Coordinates of all heavy atoms in Angstrom, one line a residue:
M1 N -209.2 -57.7 1.7 CA -210.0 -57.5 2.9 C -209.1 -57.0 4.0 O -209.6 -56.2 4.8 CB -210.6 -58.9 3.2 CG -211.7 -58.8 4.3 SD -213.0 -57.8 3.7 CE -214.2 -58.0 4.9
K2 N -207.9 -57.4 4.0 CA -207.0 -56.9 5.1 C -206.7 -55.4 4.9 O -206.6 -54.7 5.9 CB -205.7 -57.7 5.0 CG -205.8 -59.1 5.5 CD -204.5 -59.8 5.5 CE -204.6 -61.3 5.9 NZ -203.3 -62.0 5.9
I3 N -206.6 -55.0 3.7 CA -206.3 -53.5 3.5 C -207.5 -52.7 3.9 O -207.4 -51.7 4.6 CB -206.0 -53.3 2.0 CG1 -204.7 -53.9 1.6 CG2 -206.0 -51.8 1.7 CD1 -204.3 -53.9 0.2
F4 N -208.7 -53.2 3.6 CA -210.0 -52.5 4.0 C -210.0 -52.5 5.6 O -210.4 -51.4 6.1 CB -211.2 -53.2 3.4 CG -212.5 -52.5 3.8 CD1 -212.8 -51.3 3.3 CD2 -213.4 -53.1 4.7 CE1 -214.0 -50.6 3.6 CE2 -214.6 -52.5 5.0 CZ -214.9 -51.2 4.5
R5 N -209.7 -53.6 6.2 CA -209.7 -53.6 7.7 C -208.7 -52.6 8.2 O -208.9 -51.9 9.2 CB -209.4 -55.0 8.2 CG -209.6 -55.2 9.6 CD -209.4 -56.6 10.1 NE -210.2 -57.5 9.3 CZ -209.9 -58.8 9.0 NH1 -208.7 -59.3 9.4 NH2 -210.6 -59.6 8.3
A6 N -207.5 -52.5 7.6 CA -206.5 -51.6 8.1 C -207.0 -50.1 7.9 O -206.8 -49.3 8.8 CB -205.2 -51.8 7.3
Y7 N -207.7 -49.8 6.8 CA -208.3 -48.5 6.6 C -209.3 -48.2 7.7 O -209.3 -47.1 8.3 CB -209.0 -48.4 5.3 CG -208.0 -48.1 4.1 CD1 -208.1 -48.9 3.0 CD2 -207.0 -47.2 4.2 CE1 -207.3 -48.7 1.9 CE2 -206.2 -47.0 3.1 CZ -206.3 -47.7 2.0 OH -205.4 -47.5 0.9
I8 N -210.2 -49.1 8.0 CA -211.2 -48.9 9.0 C -210.5 -48.7 10.4 O -210.9 -47.8 11.1 CB -212.2 -50.1 9.1 CG1 -212.9 -50.2 7.8 CG2 -213.1 -50.0 10.3 CD1 -213.8 -49.0 7.4
I9 N -209.5 -49.5 10.7 CA -208.9 -49.3 12.0 C -208.2 -48.0 12.1 O -208.2 -47.3 13.1 CB -207.9 -50.5 12.3 CG1 -208.6 -51.8 12.5 CG2 -206.9 -50.2 13.4 CD1 -207.8 -53.0 12.5
T10 N -207.5 -47.6 11.0 CA -206.8 -46.3 11.0 C -207.9 -45.1 11.2 O -207.6 -44.2 11.9 CB -206.1 -46.1 9.7 OG1 -205.2 -47.2 9.5 CG2 -205.3 -44.8 9.7
A11 N -209.0 -45.2 10.5 CA -210.0 -44.2 10.6 C -210.6 -44.1 12.0 O -210.7 -43.0 12.5 CB -211.1 -44.5 9.6
V12 N -210.8 -45.3 12.6 CA -211.4 -45.3 14.0 C -210.3 -44.7 14.9 O -210.7 -43.9 15.8 CB -211.8 -46.7 14.4 CG1 -212.0 -46.8 15.8 CG2 -213.0 -47.2 13.6
V13 N -209.1 -45.0 14.8 CA -208.0 -44.5 15.7 C -207.9 -43.0 15.5 O -207.9 -42.2 16.5 CB -206.7 -45.2 15.4 CG1 -205.5 -44.4 16.1 CG2 -206.7 -46.6 15.9
C14 N -207.9 -42.5 14.3 CA -207.9 -41.1 14.0 C -209.1 -40.3 14.6 O -208.9 -39.3 15.2 CB -207.7 -40.8 12.5 SG -206.2 -41.3 11.8
L15 N -210.2 -40.9 14.4 CA -211.4 -40.2 15.0 C -211.4 -40.2 16.5 O -211.9 -39.3 17.1 CB -212.7 -40.9 14.4 CG -213.0 -40.7 13.0 CD1 -214.2 -41.6 12.5 CD2 -213.3 -39.2 12.7
S16 N -211.0 -41.3 17.1 CA -211.0 -41.3 18.6 C -210.0 -40.4 19.1 O -210.2 -39.7 20.1 CB -210.7 -42.8 19.1 OG -209.4 -43.2 18.7
I17 N -208.8 -40.3 18.5 CA -207.8 -39.3 18.9 C -208.3 -37.9 18.8 O -208.2 -37.0 19.7 CB -206.5 -39.5 18.2 CG1 -205.8 -40.8 18.6 CG2 -205.5 -38.3 18.4 CD1 -204.6 -41.1 17.8
T18 N -209.0 -37.6 17.7 CA -209.5 -36.3 17.4 C -210.6 -35.9 18.4 O -210.6 -34.8 19.0 CB -210.1 -36.2 16.0 OG1 -209.0 -36.5 15.1 CG2 -210.6 -34.8 15.7
S19 N -211.5 -36.8 18.7 CA -212.6 -36.6 19.6 C -212.1 -36.4 21.0 O -212.6 -35.6 21.8 CB -213.7 -37.6 19.5 OG -213.1 -38.9 19.9
S20 N -211.1 -37.2 21.4 CA -210.5 -37.1 22.7 C -209.8 -35.7 22.9 O -210.0 -35.0 23.9 CB -209.5 -38.2 23.0 OG -210.1 -39.4 22.9
L21 N -209.1 -35.3 21.9 CA -208.4 -34.0 22.0 C -209.4 -32.8 22.0 O -209.2 -31.9 22.8 CB -207.4 -33.8 20.8 CG -206.1 -34.6 20.9 CD1 -205.3 -34.5 19.6 CD2 -205.3 -34.2 22.1
S22 N -210.4 -32.9 21.2 CA -211.4 -31.8 21.2 C -212.2 -31.8 22.6 O -212.5 -30.7 23.1 CB -212.4 -32.0 20.1 OG -213.2 -33.2 20.3
A23 N -212.4 -32.9 23.2 CA -213.1 -32.9 24.5 C -212.1 -32.3 25.5 O -212.6 -31.5 26.4 CB -213.4 -34.4 24.9
V24 N -210.8 -32.6 25.5 CA -209.9 -32.0 26.4 C -209.8 -30.5 26.3 O -209.9 -29.8 27.3 CB -208.5 -32.7 26.3 CG1 -207.4 -31.9 27.0 CG2 -208.5 -34.1 26.7
F25 N -209.8 -30.0 25.0 CA -209.7 -28.6 24.8 C -211.0 -27.9 25.2 O -211.0 -26.8 25.8 CB -209.4 -28.3 23.4 CG -207.9 -28.5 23.0 CD1 -207.6 -29.4 22.0 CD2 -206.9 -27.9 23.7 CE1 -206.3 -29.6 21.6 CE2 -205.6 -28.1 23.4 CZ -205.3 -29.0 22.3
T26 N -212.1 -28.5 25.0 CA -213.4 -27.9 25.4 C -213.5 -27.8 26.9 O -213.9 -26.8 27.5 CB -214.6 -28.8 24.9 OG1 -214.5 -28.8 23.4 CG2 -215.9 -28.2 25.2
V27 N -213.1 -28.9 27.6 CA -213.2 -28.9 29.1 C -212.2 -27.8 29.6 O -212.6 -27.1 30.6 CB -212.9 -30.3 29.6 CG1 -212.6 -30.2 31.1 CG2 -214.0 -31.2 29.3
E28 N -211.0 -27.7 29.1 CA -210.1 -26.8 29.5 C -210.6 -25.4 29.3 O -210.4 -24.5 30.2 CB -208.7 -27.0 28.8 CG -207.6 -26.2 29.4 CD -207.4 -24.8 28.8 OE1 -207.8 -24.7 27.6 OE2 -206.9 -23.9 29.5
E29 N -211.2 -25.1 28.2 CA -211.7 -23.8 27.9 C -212.8 -23.4 28.8 O -212.9 -22.3 29.3 CB -212.1 -23.7 26.4 CG -212.6 -22.3 26.0 CD -211.4 -21.3 25.9 OE1 -210.3 -21.7 25.7 OE2 -211.7 -20.1 26.1
N30 N -213.7 -24.3 29.1 CA -214.8 -24.1 30.0 C -214.3 -23.9 31.4 O -214.9 -23.0 32.1 CB -215.9 -25.2 29.9 CG -216.6 -25.2 28.6 OD1 -216.7 -24.1 28.0 ND2 -217.1 -26.3 28.2
A31 N -213.3 -24.6 31.8 CA -212.8 -24.5 33.2 C -212.2 -23.1 33.3 O -212.3 -22.5 34.4 CB -211.8 -25.6 33.5
R32 N -211.5 -22.6 32.3 CA -210.9 -21.3 32.4 C -211.9 -20.2 32.5 O -211.8 -19.3 33.2 CB -210.0 -21.1 31.1 CG -209.2 -19.8 31.3 CD -208.2 -19.6 30.2 NE -208.1 -20.6 29.2 CZ -207.8 -20.3 27.9 NH1 -207.6 -19.1 27.5 NH2 -207.7 -21.3 27.0
R33 N -213.0 -20.4 31.7 CA -214.1 -19.4 31.8 C -214.7 -19.3 33.2 O -215.1 -18.3 33.7 CB -215.2 -19.7 30.7 CG -214.7 -19.3 29.4 CD -215.9 -19.5 28.4 NE -215.4 -19.3 27.0 CZ -215.6 -20.2 26.1 NH1 -216.2 -21.3 26.3 NH2 -215.1 -20.0 24.9
I34 N -214.9 -20.5 33.8 CA -215.5 -20.5 35.1 C -214.6 -19.9 36.1 O -215.0 -19.1 37.0 CB -215.8 -22.0 35.5 CG1 -217.0 -22.5 34.6 CG2 -216.2 -22.1 37.0 CD1 -217.2 -24.0 34.8
T35 N -213.3 -20.2 36.1 CA -212.4 -19.6 37.1 C -212.2 -18.1 36.9 O -211.9 -17.4 37.9 CB -211.0 -20.3 37.0 OG1 -210.4 -20.2 35.7 CG2 -211.2 -21.8 37.4
L36 N -212.3 -17.6 35.7 CA -212.1 -16.2 35.4 C -213.4 -15.4 35.6 O -213.4 -14.2 35.5 CB -211.5 -16.0 34.0 CG -210.1 -16.5 33.8 CD1 -209.7 -16.3 32.3 CD2 -209.1 -15.8 34.7
G37 N -214.4 -16.1 35.9 CA -215.7 -15.4 36.2 C -216.5 -15.0 34.9 O -217.5 -14.3 35.0
E38 N -216.1 -15.5 33.8 CA -216.9 -15.2 32.6 C -218.1 -16.2 32.6 O -218.0 -17.4 32.6 CB -216.1 -15.5 31.3 CG -214.9 -14.5 31.2 CD -214.1 -14.8 30.0 OE1 -214.5 -15.6 29.1 OE2 -213.0 -14.3 29.9
E39 N -219.3 -15.6 32.5 CA -220.5 -16.4 32.6 C -220.9 -17.1 31.2 O -221.3 -18.2 31.2 CB -221.7 -15.6 33.1 CG -221.5 -15.2 34.5 CD -222.6 -14.4 35.0 OE1 -223.7 -14.3 34.3 OE2 -222.5 -13.8 36.1
S40 N -220.7 -16.3 30.2 CA -221.1 -16.9 28.9 C -220.2 -16.3 27.8 O -219.7 -15.2 27.9 CB -222.6 -16.7 28.6 OG -222.8 -15.3 28.4
T41 N -220.2 -17.1 26.7 CA -219.5 -16.6 25.5 C -220.4 -16.9 24.3 O -221.0 -18.0 24.3 CB -218.2 -17.3 25.3 OG1 -217.3 -17.0 26.4 CG2 -217.5 -16.9 24.1
V42 N -220.5 -16.0 23.4 CA -221.4 -16.2 22.2 C -220.5 -16.7 21.1 O -219.4 -16.1 20.8 CB -222.1 -14.9 21.8 CG1 -222.9 -15.1 20.6 CG2 -222.9 -14.4 23.0
V43 N -220.9 -17.8 20.4 CA -220.2 -18.3 19.2 C -220.9 -17.7 18.0 O -222.1 -17.9 17.9 CB -220.2 -19.8 19.2 CG1 -219.5 -20.3 17.9 CG2 -219.5 -20.4 20.4
V44 N -220.2 -17.0 17.2 CA -220.8 -16.4 16.0 C -220.2 -17.0 14.7 O -219.1 -17.4 14.7 CB -220.6 -14.8 16.0 CG1 -221.3 -14.2 17.2 CG2 -219.2 -14.5 16.1
F45 N -221.0 -16.9 13.7 CA -220.5 -17.5 12.4 C -220.5 -16.4 11.3 O -220.4 -16.7 10.1 CB -221.3 -18.7 12.0 CG -221.0 -19.9 12.8 CD1 -221.9 -20.3 13.8 CD2 -219.8 -20.6 12.6 CE1 -221.6 -21.4 14.6 CE2 -219.5 -21.7 13.4 CZ -220.4 -22.1 14.4
S46 N -220.7 -15.2 11.7 CA -220.7 -14.1 10.6 C -220.1 -12.9 11.3 O -220.1 -12.7 12.5 CB -222.1 -13.8 10.1 OG -222.9 -13.3 11.1
S47 N -219.6 -12.0 10.4 CA -219.0 -10.8 10.9 C -220.0 -9.8 11.5 O -219.7 -9.0 12.3 CB -218.1 -10.1 9.9 OG -218.9 -9.8 8.8
A48 N -221.2 -9.9 11.0 CA -222.3 -8.9 11.5 C -222.6 -9.2 13.0 O -222.8 -8.3 13.8 CB -223.5 -9.1 10.7
D49 N -222.6 -10.5 13.4 CA -222.9 -10.8 14.8 C -221.7 -10.4 15.7 O -221.9 -10.2 16.9 CB -223.2 -12.3 14.9 CG -224.6 -12.6 14.3 OD1 -225.4 -11.7 14.2 OD2 -224.8 -13.8 14.0
E50 N -220.5 -10.4 15.2 CA -219.4 -10.0 16.0 C -219.5 -8.6 16.5 O -219.0 -8.3 17.6 CB -218.1 -10.2 15.2 CG -217.6 -11.6 15.0 CD -216.3 -11.7 14.3 OE1 -215.2 -11.4 15.0 OE2 -216.2 -12.0 13.1
K51 N -220.1 -7.8 15.7 CA -220.3 -6.4 16.1 C -221.3 -6.2 17.2 O -221.3 -5.2 18.0 CB -220.6 -5.5 14.9 CG -219.6 -5.5 13.8 CD -220.0 -4.8 12.6 CE -219.0 -4.9 11.5 NZ -219.4 -4.4 10.2
R52 N -222.3 -7.1 17.3 CA -223.3 -7.0 18.3 C -222.9 -7.4 19.7 O -223.4 -6.8 20.6 CB -224.5 -7.8 17.8 CG -225.2 -7.3 16.7 CD -226.5 -8.2 16.4 NE -226.9 -8.0 15.0 CZ -227.8 -8.7 14.4 NH1 -228.2 -9.8 15.0 NH2 -228.2 -8.5 13.2
Y53 N -222.1 -8.4 19.8 CA -221.8 -9.0 21.1 C -220.3 -8.6 21.4 O -219.4 -8.7 20.6 CB -221.9 -10.5 21.0 CG -223.3 -11.0 20.7 CD1 -223.6 -11.5 19.4 CD2 -224.4 -10.8 21.6 CE1 -224.8 -11.9 19.0 CE2 -225.6 -11.3 21.2 CZ -225.9 -11.8 19.9 OH -227.1 -12.2 19.6
S54 N -220.1 -8.3 22.7 CA -218.8 -7.9 23.1 C -218.0 -9.2 23.4 O -216.8 -9.2 23.1 CB -218.8 -7.0 24.4 OG -219.5 -7.7 25.4
D55 N -218.6 -10.2 24.0 CA -217.9 -11.5 24.3 C -218.3 -12.5 23.3 O -219.3 -13.2 23.5 CB -218.2 -12.0 25.7 CG -217.7 -11.1 26.8 OD1 -216.7 -10.3 26.5 OD2 -218.3 -11.1 27.9
C56 N -217.6 -12.5 22.2 CA -217.9 -13.5 21.1 C -216.7 -14.2 20.6 O -215.6 -13.8 20.8 CB -218.6 -12.8 20.0 SG -217.6 -11.6 19.1
F57 N -216.9 -15.3 20.0 CA -215.9 -16.1 19.4 C -216.3 -16.6 18.1 O -217.3 -17.2 17.9 CB -215.6 -17.3 20.3 CG -214.6 -18.3 19.8 CD1 -213.3 -18.0 19.7 CD2 -215.1 -19.6 19.4 CE1 -212.4 -18.9 19.2 CE2 -214.2 -20.5 18.8 CZ -212.8 -20.1 18.7
N58 N -215.5 -16.3 17.1 CA -215.8 -16.7 15.7 C -214.8 -17.8 15.3 O -213.6 -17.6 15.1 CB -215.6 -15.5 14.7 CG -216.0 -15.8 13.3 OD1 -216.5 -16.9 13.0 ND2 -215.9 -14.8 12.5
P59 N -215.3 -19.0 15.2 CA -214.5 -20.2 14.9 C -214.1 -20.3 13.4 O -213.3 -21.2 13.1 CB -215.3 -21.4 15.4 CG -216.7 -20.9 15.1 CD -216.7 -19.4 15.4
L60 N -214.6 -19.6 12.5 CA -214.4 -19.8 11.1 C -212.9 -19.6 10.7 O -212.4 -20.4 9.9 CB -215.3 -18.9 10.3 CG -216.8 -19.2 10.3 CD1 -217.6 -18.3 9.5 CD2 -217.0 -20.7 9.9
P61 N -212.2 -18.5 11.1 CA -210.8 -18.4 10.8 C -210.0 -19.6 11.3 O -209.1 -20.1 10.6 CB -210.3 -17.1 11.4 CG -211.6 -16.3 11.6 CD -212.7 -17.3 11.8
L62 N -210.3 -20.1 12.5 CA -209.6 -21.2 13.1 C -209.9 -22.5 12.3 O -209.0 -23.3 12.0 CB -210.0 -21.4 14.5 CG -209.4 -22.6 15.3 CD1 -207.9 -22.4 15.4 CD2 -210.0 -22.7 16.6
L63 N -211.1 -22.7 11.9 CA -211.5 -23.8 11.1 C -210.8 -23.8 9.7 O -210.4 -24.9 9.2 CB -213.0 -23.9 10.9 CG -213.8 -24.2 12.2 CD1 -215.3 -24.2 11.9 CD2 -213.4 -25.6 12.7
E64 N -210.6 -22.7 9.1 CA -209.9 -22.6 7.8 C -208.5 -22.9 8.0 O -207.9 -23.7 7.2 CB -210.0 -21.2 7.3 CG -211.4 -20.8 6.8 CD -211.6 -19.4 6.3 OE1 -210.5 -18.7 6.3 OE2 -212.7 -19.0 6.0
K65 N -207.8 -22.5 9.1 CA -206.4 -22.8 9.4 C -206.3 -24.3 9.6 O -205.3 -24.9 9.1 CB -205.9 -22.1 10.6 CG -205.7 -20.6 10.3 CD -205.1 -19.9 11.5 CE -204.9 -18.4 11.3 NZ -204.4 -17.7 12.4
L66 N -207.2 -24.9 10.3 CA -207.2 -26.3 10.6 C -207.3 -27.1 9.3 O -206.7 -28.2 9.1 CB -208.3 -26.7 11.6 CG -208.0 -26.4 13.0 CD1 -209.3 -26.7 13.9 CD2 -206.8 -27.1 13.6
G67 N -208.2 -26.7 8.4 CA -208.4 -27.3 7.1 C -207.1 -27.3 6.3 O -206.7 -28.3 5.7
K68 N -206.5 -26.2 6.3 CA -205.2 -26.1 5.5 C -204.1 -26.9 6.1 O -203.4 -27.6 5.4 CB -204.8 -24.6 5.5 CG -205.6 -23.7 4.6 CD -205.2 -22.3 4.6 CE -206.1 -21.4 3.8 NZ -205.7 -20.0 3.9
G69 N -204.1 -27.0 7.4 CA -203.1 -27.8 8.1 C -203.4 -29.3 7.9 O -202.5 -30.1 7.7
A70 N -204.7 -29.7 7.8 CA -205.0 -31.1 7.6 C -204.6 -31.5 6.1 O -204.2 -32.6 5.9 CB -206.5 -31.3 7.8
E71 N -204.8 -30.5 5.2 CA -204.4 -30.8 3.8 C -202.9 -31.0 3.7 O -202.5 -31.9 3.0 CB -204.9 -29.7 2.9 CG -204.7 -29.9 1.5 CD -205.3 -28.9 0.6 OE1 -206.0 -28.0 1.1 OE2 -205.0 -28.9 -0.6
K72 N -202.1 -30.2 4.4 CA -200.7 -30.3 4.3 C -200.3 -31.6 5.0 O -199.4 -32.3 4.5 CB -200.0 -29.1 5.1 CG -200.1 -27.8 4.3 CD -199.4 -26.7 5.1 CE -199.5 -25.4 4.4 NZ -199.0 -24.3 5.1
A73 N -200.9 -32.0 6.1 CA -200.6 -33.2 6.8 C -200.9 -34.4 6.0 O -200.2 -35.4 6.0 CB -201.3 -33.2 8.2
A74 N -202.1 -34.4 5.3 CA -202.5 -35.5 4.5 C -201.5 -35.7 3.3 O -201.3 -36.8 2.8 CB -203.9 -35.3 4.0
G75 N -200.9 -34.6 2.8 CA -199.9 -34.7 1.7 C -198.7 -35.4 2.1 O -198.1 -36.1 1.3
I76 N -198.3 -35.4 3.4 CA -197.1 -36.1 3.8 C -197.3 -37.3 4.6 O -196.4 -38.0 5.0 CB -196.1 -35.1 4.5 CG1 -196.8 -34.6 5.8 CG2 -195.6 -34.0 3.7 CD1 -195.9 -33.8 6.7
A77 N -198.6 -37.6 4.9 CA -199.0 -38.8 5.7 C -198.8 -40.1 4.9 O -198.8 -40.1 3.7 CB -200.4 -38.6 6.1
P78 N -198.6 -41.2 5.6 CA -198.6 -42.5 5.0 C -199.9 -42.8 4.2 O -200.9 -42.2 4.5 CB -198.3 -43.5 6.1 CG -198.6 -42.8 7.4 CD -198.5 -41.3 7.1
P79 N -199.9 -43.7 3.3 CA -201.0 -44.0 2.4 C -202.4 -44.2 3.1 O -203.3 -43.6 2.6 CB -200.6 -45.2 1.6 CG -199.1 -45.1 1.6 CD -198.7 -44.5 2.9
P80 N -202.5 -44.9 4.2 CA -203.9 -45.1 4.7 C -204.5 -43.8 5.1 O -205.7 -43.5 4.8 CB -203.7 -46.1 5.8 CG -202.4 -46.8 5.6 CD -201.6 -45.8 4.9
I81 N -203.8 -43.0 5.8 CA -204.3 -41.7 6.3 C -204.6 -40.7 5.1 O -205.6 -40.1 5.0 CB -203.4 -41.1 7.3 CG1 -203.4 -42.1 8.5 CG2 -203.9 -39.7 7.8 CD1 -202.4 -41.7 9.6
S82 N -203.6 -40.6 4.2 CA -203.8 -39.7 3.1 C -204.9 -40.1 2.2 O -205.7 -39.3 1.7 CB -202.5 -39.5 2.3 OG -202.1 -40.7 1.7
N83 N -205.1 -41.4 2.0 CA -206.2 -41.9 1.1 C -207.5 -41.7 1.8 O -208.5 -41.3 1.1 CB -206.0 -43.4 0.9 CG -204.8 -43.7 0.0 OD1 -204.3 -42.8 -0.6 ND2 -204.4 -45.0 -0.1
I84 N -207.6 -41.8 3.1 CA -208.9 -41.5 3.7 C -209.2 -40.0 3.6 O -210.4 -39.7 3.3 CB -208.8 -41.9 5.2 CG1 -208.8 -43.4 5.4 CG2 -210.0 -41.4 6.0 CD1 -208.5 -43.9 6.7
Y85 N -208.2 -39.2 3.8 CA -208.5 -37.7 3.6 C -208.9 -37.4 2.2 O -209.9 -36.7 2.1 CB -207.2 -36.9 4.0 CG -207.3 -35.5 3.7 CD1 -208.1 -34.6 4.5 CD2 -206.8 -34.9 2.5 CE1 -208.2 -33.3 4.2 CE2 -206.9 -33.6 2.2 CZ -207.6 -32.8 3.1 OH -207.8 -31.5 2.8
W86 N -208.2 -37.9 1.2 CA -208.6 -37.6 -0.2 C -209.9 -38.2 -0.5 O -210.7 -37.6 -1.3 CB -207.5 -38.0 -1.1 CG -206.3 -37.1 -1.0 CD1 -205.1 -37.5 -0.5 CD2 -206.2 -35.7 -1.2 NE1 -204.2 -36.4 -0.4 CE2 -204.9 -35.3 -0.8 CE3 -207.1 -34.7 -1.6 CZ2 -204.5 -34.0 -0.9 CZ3 -206.6 -33.4 -1.6 CH2 -205.3 -33.1 -1.3
F87 N -210.3 -39.3 0.0 CA -211.6 -39.9 -0.2 C -212.7 -39.0 0.3 O -213.7 -38.8 -0.3 CB -211.7 -41.3 0.4 CG -213.0 -42.0 0.3 CD1 -213.4 -42.5 -0.9 CD2 -213.9 -42.0 1.4 CE1 -214.7 -43.1 -1.0 CE2 -215.1 -42.6 1.3 CZ -215.5 -43.1 0.1
V88 N -212.5 -38.5 1.5 CA -213.5 -37.6 2.1 C -213.6 -36.3 1.3 O -214.8 -35.9 1.0 CB -213.2 -37.3 3.6 CG1 -214.0 -36.2 4.1 CG2 -213.3 -38.6 4.4
V89 N -212.5 -35.7 0.9 CA -212.6 -34.5 0.1 C -213.3 -34.7 -1.2 O -214.1 -33.9 -1.6 CB -211.1 -33.9 -0.1 CG1 -211.1 -32.8 -1.1 CG2 -210.6 -33.5 1.3
N90 N -212.9 -35.8 -1.9 CA -213.5 -36.0 -3.2 C -214.9 -36.4 -3.1 O -215.7 -36.2 -4.0 CB -212.6 -37.0 -4.0 CG -211.3 -36.4 -4.4 OD1 -211.2 -35.2 -4.6 ND2 -210.3 -37.3 -4.4
S91 N -215.3 -37.1 -2.1 CA -216.7 -37.5 -1.9 C -217.6 -36.2 -1.7 O -218.7 -36.2 -2.1 CB -216.9 -38.5 -0.8 OG -216.6 -37.9 0.5
K92 N -217.0 -35.2 -1.0 CA -217.8 -34.0 -0.8 C -218.0 -33.3 -2.2 O -219.0 -32.7 -2.5 CB -217.1 -33.1 0.1 CG -217.2 -33.5 1.6 CD -216.5 -32.5 2.4 CE -216.5 -32.8 3.9 NZ -215.8 -31.9 4.7
K93 N -217.0 -33.3 -3.0 CA -217.1 -32.7 -4.3 C -218.1 -33.5 -5.2 O -218.8 -32.8 -6.0 CB -215.7 -32.7 -5.0 CG -214.7 -31.8 -4.4 CD -213.4 -31.8 -5.1 CE -212.4 -30.9 -4.4 NZ -211.0 -31.0 -5.1
L94 N -218.1 -34.8 -5.1 CA -219.1 -35.6 -5.9 C -220.5 -35.3 -5.5 O -221.4 -35.3 -6.3 CB -218.8 -37.0 -5.8 CG -217.5 -37.5 -6.5 CD1 -217.3 -39.0 -6.2 CD2 -217.6 -37.3 -8.0
M95 N -220.7 -35.1 -4.2 CA -222.1 -34.9 -3.6 C -222.6 -33.5 -3.9 O -223.8 -33.3 -4.0 CB -222.1 -35.1 -2.1 CG -221.7 -36.5 -1.7 SD -222.7 -37.8 -2.5 CE -224.0 -37.9 -1.3
S96 N -221.8 -32.6 -4.2 CA -222.3 -31.2 -4.5 C -222.5 -30.9 -5.9 O -222.3 -31.7 -6.8 CB -221.3 -30.2 -3.9 OG -220.1 -30.3 -4.4

């Protein structure tokens, strides 16, 4: 039971750190857009839409890099964090 509690605490800490960092980056990016006078930015998820809009942002290459980085980090992380990562990855494979 103590090990399960340690896993839950580690997962909650990792999720809170991740959500805090994403909120900080989002706020910083929006503040920069406001100060530079950019009114809007279009988020696209395909290359066809990138050609239509001049001010667009495609997050897919960045998400792929983050995924590869997370996989490398999970490989060298201590057991609770690496076990949580591999549990999530393998549960996605089981569900599909």
Side-chain angles (χ1 to χ4, degrees):
M1 191 66 170
K2 290 182 181 181
I3 294 174
F4 182 69
R5 190 177 306 151
Y7 281 131
I8 296 299
I9 290 171
T10 304
V12 168
V13 168
C14 290
L15 288 174
S16 65
I17 290 171
T18 303
S19 63
S20 299
L21 287 175
S22 65
V24 167
F25 285 124
T26 302
V27 168
E28 190 272 330
E29 185 68 26
N30 288 336
R32 187 172 1 147
R33 285 190 188 123
I34 291 170
T35 58
L36 294 177
E38 296 177 11
E39 294 181 8
S40 65
T41 299
V42 177
V43 177
V44 296
F45 289 102
S46 69
S47 59
D49 289 339
E50 284 185 78
K51 296 174 185 174
R52 291 185 196 163
Y53 303 106
S54 61
D55 294 335
C56 65
F57 174 69
N58 188 0
L60 292 179
L62 179 63
L63 292 176
E64 289 176 5
K65 288 181 183 178
L66 285 175
K68 290 178 184 176
E71 186 175 349
K72 288 180 184 177
I76 60 173
I81 297 173
S82 63
N83 290 348
I84 291 170
Y85 172 77
W86 291 114
F87 177 73
V88 169
V89 168
N90 291 328
S91 66
K92 285 182 182 177
K93 290 179 183 177
L94 290 174
M95 298 303 271
S96 60

